[in-house]
Amino acid sequence: MLKISVSGVRGIVGESLTPQAVLEFGLAFGTFTKGSKIVIGRDTRISGQLVRDALVCGLEFSGCKIIDLGICPTPTVLFMARKFRSNGVIITASHNPIEWNGLKFAKKEGIFLNKQEMESLFRIYKSKKFAFIRELSDDDAIVKKFDKAKALHIDAVLKNIDKGLIKKRKFRIACDFCNGTGAVITESFLKKLGCKVYAVNASPDGRFAHNPEPNTKSLKTFSNFVKKSKVDLGLAQDPDADRVALCDENGVLISEEFTLAIVVKAILMKTKGKVVVNLSTSRMIDDIATEFGSKLLRTPVGEINVVEKMRKVNALVGGEGNGGVIYPKINFCRDSLVGIGIVLEYLARTGKSLSEETSEMPHYKMVKDKLAYSSEKAKIVINKLKSKYKNEKIDLRDGIKIEWTGGWVHLRVSNTEPIIRIVAEAKTDGEVKRLYNLVKKDIK
Ligand code: MG
């Protein structure tokens, strides 16, 4: 089955993601945007070129003019959409396994379509009432290639961080690109910052060397490599390079929650401003915001939910605890280059190592889990919890988040899979397990 959500469209190539489906989503997006200018880009998946061809066909038949950026990270496409003031489509299935691919739709502000816009797009897709181009002019059906996107994206990040300071520290950095789009941009970015790069899985051929979701489990081999290479830190991006996880100089994989925590701290140290994160993100960010006298706001899970709130309150920085950093001054989406740049500048400024920094951070223990439930059953479960915990401090904007002084549990129905996601956090291992088991028992 094709998975359609606020995160776009995803499916298994040739099974649910058929050439017809891709073509018709091209027609639907062309109809939705009234035959506008569209930037497109794709990740390194082997199916990428095929999906791109079907998409381009649909977009062109509905009168769109296409600028093709080729293989590049998701944040590079969004950066160019904002720069060119044009809509965009990204061909990627992010961290899903290799047999998957998908489409993400963006608008000219350089942000994704929101829930209502995705629903409108899907209505057009389902109705099959597409607007076709009537008369072709000379420059119709000509795809313009643009090969400077990655360089422009890199320059924009460099302009907003202290390049000289980072260069002086002469960082030695190990990278794991998982043979994704990080491989076409990150090394040249780091070299411009005077870093020595030791990269693994650096062929942008889409043959993912391990589970492409960057977390402590999938990066075990990489952590050994970091240790052996005697570097200052290691970094691992997901295949479309919107997220980044870090590994310290001892080869210790630090929770992906730290990426955003360090970035928020680094930014608030320099400027005061509002911070926006989703409901499942660590309390580390609350502590940091409080320390710097800044306001923290939370939103339902999903990048566009965070982005829309950030726009509304004119936030300085935000993101998601899964390694997704959003710093609108550079890019209005999760951007791993932005995250890496800000972390390096911070380490250079403070002279600290990554292990020193993480040991000084407020410490929490987190459990992330999922339980298989159909979405109807999941809704019933969550409604029962709502009445059981009605006297506690609860947040009902995205499933249910129950908050106590010592910790919290957040349960939500997944947008993309028939599961309930549970995230729990507390100060100690024992306490987080207690809270997690308490709610899990309720569910059963
Ligand atoms: Mg991704």
Side-chain angles (χ1 to χ4, degrees), residues 10 74-75 92-95 104 214 238-243 303 334:
R10 282 185 204 179
T74 293
T92 180
S94 188
H95 57 271
K104 285 177 144 186
D238 77 329
D240 67 327
D242 53 356
R243 297 193 283 143
E303 176 174 346
R334 298 184 305 184

PDB file of all heavy atoms in Angstrom, residues 10 74-75 92-95 104 214 238-243 303 334, ligand 1:
ATOM      1  N   ARG A  10       5.134   7.509   0.183  1.00  0.00           N
ATOM      2  CA  ARG A  10       6.198   6.508   0.162  1.00  0.00           C
ATOM      3  C   ARG A  10       5.633   5.152  -0.237  1.00  0.00           C
ATOM      4  O   ARG A  10       4.501   4.833   0.099  1.00  0.00           O
ATOM      5  CB  ARG A  10       6.848   6.353   1.547  1.00  0.00           C
ATOM      6  CG  ARG A  10       7.826   7.466   1.843  1.00  0.00           C
ATOM      7  CD  ARG A  10       8.546   7.236   3.153  1.00  0.00           C
ATOM      8  NE  ARG A  10       9.007   8.532   3.663  1.00  0.00           N
ATOM      9  CZ  ARG A  10       9.658   8.690   4.795  1.00  0.00           C
ATOM     10  NH1 ARG A  10       9.930   7.639   5.550  1.00  0.00           N
ATOM     11  NH2 ARG A  10      10.039   9.883   5.183  1.00  0.00           N
ATOM     12  N   THR A  74      17.870  16.446   0.681  1.00  0.00           N
ATOM     13  CA  THR A  74      16.559  17.093   0.812  1.00  0.00           C
ATOM     14  C   THR A  74      16.691  18.579   1.185  1.00  0.00           C
ATOM     15  O   THR A  74      16.055  19.431   0.559  1.00  0.00           O
ATOM     16  CB  THR A  74      15.704  16.324   1.847  1.00  0.00           C
ATOM     17  OG1 THR A  74      15.405  15.035   1.304  1.00  0.00           O
ATOM     18  CG2 THR A  74      14.420  17.043   2.187  1.00  0.00           C
ATOM     19  N   PRO A  75      17.522  18.921   2.200  1.00  0.00           N
ATOM     20  CA  PRO A  75      17.623  20.348   2.546  1.00  0.00           C
ATOM     21  C   PRO A  75      18.191  21.223   1.425  1.00  0.00           C
ATOM     22  O   PRO A  75      17.887  22.419   1.373  1.00  0.00           O
ATOM     23  CB  PRO A  75      18.547  20.366   3.772  1.00  0.00           C
ATOM     24  CG  PRO A  75      19.173  19.026   3.856  1.00  0.00           C
ATOM     25  CD  PRO A  75      18.242  18.074   3.184  1.00  0.00           C
ATOM     26  N   THR A  92      12.673  10.810  -2.574  1.00  0.00           N
ATOM     27  CA  THR A  92      13.402  10.162  -1.484  1.00  0.00           C
ATOM     28  C   THR A  92      12.441   9.366  -0.619  1.00  0.00           C
ATOM     29  O   THR A  92      11.248   9.682  -0.564  1.00  0.00           O
ATOM     30  CB  THR A  92      14.130  11.196  -0.591  1.00  0.00           C
ATOM     31  OG1 THR A  92      14.822  10.512   0.460  1.00  0.00           O
ATOM     32  CG2 THR A  92      13.178  12.188   0.039  1.00  0.00           C
ATOM     33  N   ALA A  93      12.961   8.344   0.046  1.00  0.00           N
ATOM     34  CA  ALA A  93      12.176   7.681   1.091  1.00  0.00           C
ATOM     35  C   ALA A  93      12.937   7.802   2.405  1.00  0.00           C
ATOM     36  O   ALA A  93      12.836   6.942   3.270  1.00  0.00           O
ATOM     37  CB  ALA A  93      11.902   6.231   0.732  1.00  0.00           C
ATOM     38  N   SER A  94      13.730   8.888   2.511  1.00  0.00           N
ATOM     39  CA  SER A  94      14.501   9.175   3.718  1.00  0.00           C
ATOM     40  C   SER A  94      15.234   7.931   4.229  1.00  0.00           C
ATOM     41  O   SER A  94      16.037   7.366   3.514  1.00  0.00           O
ATOM     42  CB  SER A  94      13.584   9.774   4.784  1.00  0.00           C
ATOM     43  OG  SER A  94      14.350  10.213   5.874  1.00  0.00           O
ATOM     44  N   HIS A  95      14.914   7.461   5.438  1.00  0.00           N
ATOM     45  CA  HIS A  95      15.669   6.353   6.029  1.00  0.00           C
ATOM     46  C   HIS A  95      14.989   4.994   5.804  1.00  0.00           C
ATOM     47  O   HIS A  95      15.419   4.005   6.369  1.00  0.00           O
ATOM     48  CB  HIS A  95      15.841   6.608   7.525  1.00  0.00           C
ATOM     49  CG  HIS A  95      14.535   6.788   8.224  1.00  0.00           C
ATOM     50  ND1 HIS A  95      13.934   8.017   8.347  1.00  0.00           N
ATOM     51  CD2 HIS A  95      13.696   5.896   8.770  1.00  0.00           C
ATOM     52  CE1 HIS A  95      12.780   7.863   8.973  1.00  0.00           C
ATOM     53  NE2 HIS A  95      12.599   6.589   9.238  1.00  0.00           N
ATOM     54  N   LYS A 104       8.357  13.941  -1.795  1.00  0.00           N
ATOM     55  CA  LYS A 104       8.025  14.956  -0.803  1.00  0.00           C
ATOM     56  C   LYS A 104       7.754  16.248  -1.552  1.00  0.00           C
ATOM     57  O   LYS A 104       8.507  16.597  -2.465  1.00  0.00           O
ATOM     58  CB  LYS A 104       9.196  15.163   0.160  1.00  0.00           C
ATOM     59  CG  LYS A 104       9.346  14.041   1.172  1.00  0.00           C
ATOM     60  CD  LYS A 104      10.580  14.297   2.023  1.00  0.00           C
ATOM     61  CE  LYS A 104      10.322  13.850   3.455  1.00  0.00           C
ATOM     62  NZ  LYS A 104      11.429  14.205   4.347  1.00  0.00           N
ATOM     63  N   PRO A 214      19.816   6.591  11.284  1.00  0.00           N
ATOM     64  CA  PRO A 214      21.023   6.779  12.111  1.00  0.00           C
ATOM     65  C   PRO A 214      20.678   6.759  13.594  1.00  0.00           C
ATOM     66  O   PRO A 214      20.067   7.675  14.107  1.00  0.00           O
ATOM     67  CB  PRO A 214      21.538   8.155  11.680  1.00  0.00           C
ATOM     68  CG  PRO A 214      20.346   8.869  11.118  1.00  0.00           C
ATOM     69  CD  PRO A 214      19.337   7.836  10.707  1.00  0.00           C
ATOM     70  N   ASP A 238      21.416  10.576   7.687  1.00  0.00           N
ATOM     71  CA  ASP A 238      20.481   9.624   7.083  1.00  0.00           C
ATOM     72  C   ASP A 238      20.563   9.809   5.557  1.00  0.00           C
ATOM     73  O   ASP A 238      21.224  10.748   5.081  1.00  0.00           O
ATOM     74  CB  ASP A 238      19.069   9.774   7.671  1.00  0.00           C
ATOM     75  CG  ASP A 238      18.309  10.962   7.131  1.00  0.00           C
ATOM     76  OD1 ASP A 238      18.955  11.963   6.794  1.00  0.00           O
ATOM     77  OD2 ASP A 238      17.072  10.894   7.044  1.00  0.00           O
ATOM     78  N   PRO A 239      19.959   8.904   4.735  1.00  0.00           N
ATOM     79  CA  PRO A 239      20.226   8.932   3.285  1.00  0.00           C
ATOM     80  C   PRO A 239      19.870  10.243   2.562  1.00  0.00           C
ATOM     81  O   PRO A 239      20.483  10.567   1.556  1.00  0.00           O
ATOM     82  CB  PRO A 239      19.378   7.775   2.752  1.00  0.00           C
ATOM     83  CG  PRO A 239      19.298   6.826   3.889  1.00  0.00           C
ATOM     84  CD  PRO A 239      19.223   7.678   5.118  1.00  0.00           C
ATOM     85  N   ASP A 240      18.907  11.002   3.066  1.00  0.00           N
ATOM     86  CA  ASP A 240      18.627  12.278   2.370  1.00  0.00           C
ATOM     87  C   ASP A 240      19.210  13.467   3.141  1.00  0.00           C
ATOM     88  O   ASP A 240      18.925  14.628   2.819  1.00  0.00           O
ATOM     89  CB  ASP A 240      17.138  12.451   2.061  1.00  0.00           C
ATOM     90  CG  ASP A 240      16.276  12.616   3.293  1.00  0.00           C
ATOM     91  OD1 ASP A 240      16.602  12.016   4.334  1.00  0.00           O
ATOM     92  OD2 ASP A 240      15.264  13.351   3.221  1.00  0.00           O
ATOM     93  N   ALA A 241      20.041  13.160   4.131  1.00  0.00           N
ATOM     94  CA  ALA A 241      20.882  14.160   4.809  1.00  0.00           C
ATOM     95  C   ALA A 241      20.119  15.329   5.425  1.00  0.00           C
ATOM     96  O   ALA A 241      20.590  16.452   5.454  1.00  0.00           O
ATOM     97  CB  ALA A 241      21.976  14.673   3.863  1.00  0.00           C
ATOM     98  N   ASP A 242      18.915  15.062   5.927  1.00  0.00           N
ATOM     99  CA  ASP A 242      18.275  16.117   6.718  1.00  0.00           C
ATOM    100  C   ASP A 242      18.579  15.947   8.202  1.00  0.00           C
ATOM    101  O   ASP A 242      18.443  16.867   8.977  1.00  0.00           O
ATOM    102  CB  ASP A 242      16.762  16.236   6.448  1.00  0.00           C
ATOM    103  CG  ASP A 242      16.011  14.932   6.588  1.00  0.00           C
ATOM    104  OD1 ASP A 242      16.638  13.879   6.817  1.00  0.00           O
ATOM    105  OD2 ASP A 242      14.777  14.967   6.464  1.00  0.00           O
ATOM    106  N   ARG A 243      19.004  14.722   8.579  1.00  0.00           N
ATOM    107  CA  ARG A 243      19.277  14.477   9.992  1.00  0.00           C
ATOM    108  C   ARG A 243      20.719  14.025  10.201  1.00  0.00           C
ATOM    109  O   ARG A 243      21.321  13.426   9.315  1.00  0.00           O
ATOM    110  CB  ARG A 243      18.350  13.378  10.500  1.00  0.00           C
ATOM    111  CG  ARG A 243      16.898  13.780  10.421  1.00  0.00           C
ATOM    112  CD  ARG A 243      16.043  12.832  11.217  1.00  0.00           C
ATOM    113  NE  ARG A 243      15.797  11.577  10.566  1.00  0.00           N
ATOM    114  CZ  ARG A 243      15.729  10.410  11.203  1.00  0.00           C
ATOM    115  NH1 ARG A 243      15.935  10.350  12.499  1.00  0.00           N
ATOM    116  NH2 ARG A 243      15.467   9.313  10.548  1.00  0.00           N
ATOM    117  N   GLU A 303       7.842  17.399  10.792  1.00  0.00           N
ATOM    118  CA  GLU A 303       8.655  18.583  10.514  1.00  0.00           C
ATOM    119  C   GLU A 303       7.813  19.822  10.208  1.00  0.00           C
ATOM    120  O   GLU A 303       8.076  20.903  10.728  1.00  0.00           O
ATOM    121  CB  GLU A 303       9.592  18.282   9.337  1.00  0.00           C
ATOM    122  CG  GLU A 303      10.407  19.492   8.906  1.00  0.00           C
ATOM    123  CD  GLU A 303      11.440  19.170   7.838  1.00  0.00           C
ATOM    124  OE1 GLU A 303      11.723  17.982   7.607  1.00  0.00           O
ATOM    125  OE2 GLU A 303      11.961  20.120   7.245  1.00  0.00           O
ATOM    126  N   ARG A 334      14.724  20.863   8.271  1.00  0.00           N
ATOM    127  CA  ARG A 334      15.771  20.116   8.952  1.00  0.00           C
ATOM    128  C   ARG A 334      16.971  20.010   8.008  1.00  0.00           C
ATOM    129  O   ARG A 334      16.811  19.619   6.852  1.00  0.00           O
ATOM    130  CB  ARG A 334      15.279  18.717   9.311  1.00  0.00           C
ATOM    131  CG  ARG A 334      14.092  18.739  10.258  1.00  0.00           C
ATOM    132  CD  ARG A 334      13.692  17.343  10.656  1.00  0.00           C
ATOM    133  NE  ARG A 334      13.423  16.528   9.493  1.00  0.00           N
ATOM    134  CZ  ARG A 334      12.973  15.282   9.539  1.00  0.00           C
ATOM    135  NH1 ARG A 334      12.741  14.713  10.705  1.00  0.00           N
ATOM    136  NH2 ARG A 334      12.739  14.596   8.453  1.00  0.00           N
TER     137      ARG A 334
HETATM  138 MG    MG B   1      15.615  12.050   6.226  1.00  0.00          MG
END
